[in-house]
Amino acid sequence: MMRALYPLWPLAAVALLAWAAPAHALGDLDKLAIAQISYPGNWNPRPSGPRRLAWEIEKRTSIETVTEPVEVKLSDEAALRRYPLLYLAGDAAFPAPDENDVARLRRHLQAGGFLLVDGADARPGGGFDQSVRALVKRLFPKEPLERVAGDHVIYKSFYLLKTPVGRVAQVPYLEGVTHDGRLAIVYSQNDLAGAWARDNFGQWEHEVVPGGTQQREMAFRLGVNVAMYALCLDYKTDQVHVPFILRRRQWQVK
C-alpha cells in the first residue's frame, strides 16, 4: 500500500512548481506539513523554527503549506505514512527507539519518505549527534551516513547553494543516507531551526554567527531546497532544466 502511494508525491510536487499563481482551494490534507518526530526529552528545541520555514516555503514557492508543524510519534505508522517530510531535532542525547519504532520508520523511508535531522546543539560528537548516528546505523546498517557531495541536486533543487549553514557554520557539509538512489536522510549539525526561529513579535530568537543576516538567508534557502527535494527528488538533474534554472536563479550568492 505504501509503495503505491508514495511515488505520487514527486508528481504532485512538480505540478505545484508551475510559476503560475497557486490554487487556493487546497485543504490541509493536500498541503505540505512538516511532521516533527516527538520522543521522551527535548524533541522541540526551536518551536518557532519549523513554523517559520513553512511560512517561507509558501511565500517563496508554489507549494502550499500547513503553517503549524505536526507532531508524530514513531509508534503511529498510519500518521507517518501521511507525511513525506519528517523532521527530527534535538539538543541532547535521546532514548533509543525500540525495534518496532525503528522498523516503522525504516519502512516509511524505504517507501519514499524523507527525514531531515537538525542538531540544535551544533556540537559534533555531542549527545544528540551520538544518538542520531546510533539511530541511523540501526535504520540502515549497510548504508551509512556520508557527506553529501557538493554537486548533489539538493543544493540546486530551488536555489543554487554552496556551503550549507544554519544558526552556526560549524560543519561545512551535510551528511546523508542514500537509499535506492536517493537521499532518504539528511543530517545538518548547524542548527537550521535556530536560524529560522522568529517570535510572535517578529524578532529573530537567536543570533546567527558568523555570517549574520546573509547566513540566515542561506539557512532559509537550504530549508526550501530540502523541502523541494523531499517532494521532487532529483528531477532537476535532467540537463534540460539547467539553462532555465540558471536564468531564474541569478540571485545566487557568490
Side-chain angles (χ1 to χ4, degrees), residues 20 27 102 163 222 243:
V102 170
T163 303
L222 179 56

Side-chain angles (χ1 to χ4, degrees), residues 15 56 58-59 64 104 109-110 120 123 127 133 136 152 183 185 200 244 251:
E56 293 284 348
E58 182 156 322
K59 175 185 176 183
E64 295 203 0
R104 279 185 281 267
L109 298 176
Q110 288 176 331
R123 188 164 59 94
R133 294 183 187 282
V136 171
H152 193 278
L183 282 174
I185 300 174
N200 292 333
F244 173 78
W251 57 85

